[in-house]
Amino acid sequence: MQSIKPRERFEGEFTLPGDKSVTHRAVMLNSGANGEATITNALMGEDCVSTCRCMRALGADIQTDGTTLHVKGTPRFRRGTELNCGNSGTTIRLLTGFAAGKGIDAKLYGDESLSSRPMKRVAEPLSLLGADIRTTDGHAPVFVYPKALQGAKVELKIASAQVKSAVLLAGISADGETTVSEPVKSRDHTERMLAAMGADIRVNGNAVTVQRSELKAVDVCVPSDISSAAYFMALGALKGKTLCKNVGINPTRTGILTAFDRLGIKYGLLNRRVSGGEETADILVEKTDMRGICLTAEDIPSMIDELPLVALLCAFADGESRITGAKELRVKESDRIKTTAELINNLGGDCQELEDGFVVRGKTKLVGGDIDSYLDHRIAMTAAVGLLASQKGGNIKAPECCAISFPDFFDKLGLKLY
Ligand code: S3P
């Protein structure tokens, strides 16, 4: 249980941990590439540790030195391994595509939350390339059997970077050409990294085409994660002024800034630069009065992980907000439509669940209260922001799950985790 007292003001300069999505890909792709790579500012959160554990189990040599990783791929992957993906959806879904491409037979499994998340969405598109993948009633454990792959055209019905990446990782080992398209463009870190590693890859709007490719190892300097910075940006908007340094602002990830624009939040992107194929900036946010907003399906993929926080900001805004087209939230680490609505209502706000989103009636002030994280890192961190900005504070049940993506989150807030 973490007890949190409200703060009158929240101000400071913050350096946030490395990007989770980029770290997963840097480790996995370099493990399947020729040569050696150094990854700096890697996220050492539990999800990325799961990816390192799985790649080591397959035979990659990964040495850790703080947040620097030295990765040496292996030409001969170990067969018949059991790969523990922990809580990580990105690990299990990308690795299913990777294993299918490399012709590795493996069992991929994870914790209770991961075992309840849908896996057919990755097995079915991969089967269009000829992969033999069996799920357990649509869930993990997932079993991958070796099979030669043929390129295919894959049209995804939902925008998902995890599924798109799984198809691309299989596609670079298939005969012929593979094209994967999605209704709205999701994060494109896999595409950028594959291009940097010398893959034959073309992007045309929401469609990505790859041919069989050998990858060359590439050093990656991981930007700070905008999904982690978002909590500190929100605290700036609610309670003072914050500067988050060296944050990745890849346009497929900056939906939170679109939400800020609509809410009327004042922010600035300072010191913009490009590092390792990804743009970064220092993000300065200042306290602003907010107004209700409307977000629809096209807005969702670029802020998918920030939606609990965006809904919370709406609860502090003036007027009604409507967020729709976000049904994917139901199959994250928790049912985030349910857990977010409960969080806001327990703080004294007014959030009504929709099948695919929320209606939030903004109250500009929230009293505070007790919140269950349901072991979902994003819910725990959103709760901390809500309580710091509330009138009376309260408690968070199971706060330690923030270690999935942000191990020193409470330290950075100046709070001791009990
Ligand atoms: C991720 C993609 C998103 C996101 C997740 C990380 C990735 O999931 O929610 O936290 O790194 O590819 P979906 O692909 O299921 O939308």
Side-chain angles (χ1 to χ4, degrees):
M1 197 73 104
Q2 174 76 46
S3 150
I4 296 195
K5 293 200 173 56
R7 296 252 179 104
E8 208 34 63
R9 242 188 114 63
F10 190 91
E11 223 177 274
E13 200 176 293
F14 300 93
T15 300
L16 293 319
D19 189 281
K20 181 156 86 71
S21 294
V22 174
T23 303
H24 279 301
R25 287 157 173 82
V27 171
M28 201 177 289
L29 270 61
N30 275 309
S31 296
N34 297 318
E36 289 182 42
T38 299
I39 305 167
T40 44
N41 195 36
L43 171 66
M44 297 312 289
E46 286 171 12
D47 270 9
C48 297
V49 169
S50 290
T51 291
C52 289
R53 180 177 56 240
C54 292
M55 300 322 290
R56 284 189 183 115
L58 287 172
D61 178 0
I62 303 173
Q63 304 293 330
T64 314
D65 176 9
T67 57
T68 301
L69 302 176
H70 300 282
V71 182
K72 193 149 119 202
T74 170
R76 243 177 233 287
F77 290 96
R78 227 167 263 140
R79 322 241 138 206
T81 41
E82 299 210 346
L83 303 170
N84 179 0
C85 304
N87 189 249
S88 177
T90 307
T91 307
I92 198 166
R93 296 202 177 108
L94 267 62
L95 201 45
T96 301
F98 181 93
K102 298 285 180 197
I104 302 164
D105 57 322
K107 171 184 171 184
L108 292 87
Y109 68 101
D111 68 8
E112 202 181 318
S113 153
L114 191 62
S115 308
S116 72
R117 298 179 65 186
M119 295 301 152
K120 259 200 195 138
R121 58 174 56 198
V122 70
E124 281 177 357
L126 289 171
S127 72
L128 298 176
L129 279 74
D132 183 359
I133 292 163
R134 299 179 206 168
T135 65
T136 308
D137 275 336
H139 299 96
V142 174
F143 299 87
V144 182
Y145 298 98
K147 202 77 192 292
L149 304 186
Q150 295 294 325
K153 269 200 160 45
V154 179
E155 271 179 48
L156 304 181
K157 293 201 178 56
I158 44 167
S160 165
Q162 292 176 353
V163 178
K164 173 178 65 177
S165 301
V167 173
L168 293 174
L169 294 187
I172 55 165
S173 299
D175 260 348
E177 188 170 278
T178 297
T179 298
V180 57
S181 61
E182 51 186 348
V184 182
K185 195 177 175 72
S186 63
R187 64 192 69 191
D188 64 357
H189 305 297
T190 303
E191 294 90 305
R192 286 170 189 254
M193 213 174 283
L194 285 174
M197 296 175 117
D200 184 341
I201 179 164
R202 291 190 319 271
V203 178
N204 184 5
N206 296 351
V208 189
T209 302
V210 287
Q211 310 269 354
R212 185 191 282 280
S213 305
E214 284 281 312
L215 302 184
K216 290 190 296 290
V218 72
D219 291 342
V220 180
C221 173
V222 182
S224 291
D225 198 325
I226 192 163
S227 299
S228 300
Y231 304 102
F232 291 80
M233 290 156 58
L235 281 165
L238 290 166
K239 286 274 141 200
K241 194 172 178 179
T242 52
L243 181 69
C244 296
K245 307 269 285 178
N246 195 34
V247 181
I249 52 163
N250 174 320
T252 61
R253 296 288 300 283
T254 47
I256 183 75
L257 298 178
T258 308
F260 275 23
D261 284 330
R262 294 193 197 163
L263 284 157
I265 295 174
K266 284 194 265 169
Y267 66 88
L269 300 180
L270 317 177
N271 196 15
R272 285 175 84 147
R273 57 216 179 270
V274 176
S275 153
E278 297 274 358
E279 201 183 350
T280 64
D282 300 340
I283 306 181
L284 178 70
V285 184
E286 286 181 65
K287 180 165 166 37
T288 334
D289 290 335
M290 299 176 288
R291 52 177 184 259
I293 57 170
C294 195
L295 296 169
T296 56
E298 327 55 283
D299 301 316
I300 301 304
S302 62
M303 62 175 93
I304 184 75
D305 293 335
E306 290 68 75
L307 282 168
L309 183 69
V310 170
L312 176 75
L313 288 172
C314 293
F316 282 101
D318 187 14
E320 186 174 293
S321 294
R322 214 182 157 80
I323 301 174
T324 56
K327 202 166 172 196
E328 274 299 293
L329 290 182
R330 296 234 177 247
V331 290
K332 294 295 180 188
E333 286 84 329
S334 68
D335 173 345
R336 286 188 184 155
I337 294 188
K338 202 159 177 260
T339 50
T340 301
E342 183 178 309
L343 182 163
I344 292 171
N345 293 330
N346 284 7
L347 289 175
D350 180 352
C351 180
Q352 180 199 334
E353 272 186 54
L354 302 174
E355 181 51 26
D356 66 343
F358 319 91
V359 175
V360 186
R361 290 178 196 92
K363 292 191 164 180
T364 67
K365 288 189 170 66
L366 299 182
V367 184
D370 292 344
I371 292 159
D372 192 335
S373 73
Y374 292 99
L375 299 174
D376 181 335
H377 55 133
R378 307 250 178 244
I379 298 297
M381 293 187 281
T382 302
V385 172
L387 289 170
L388 285 167
S390 70
Q391 294 171 306
K392 295 195 172 153
N395 299 296
I396 307 174
K397 186 170 166 201
E400 56 289 333
C401 59
C402 66
I404 291 290
S405 62
F406 197 157
D408 58 350
F409 175 73
F410 286 98
D411 281 353
K412 284 244 176 341
L413 287 176
L415 293 167
K416 218 174 152 79
L417 184 58
Y418 292 103

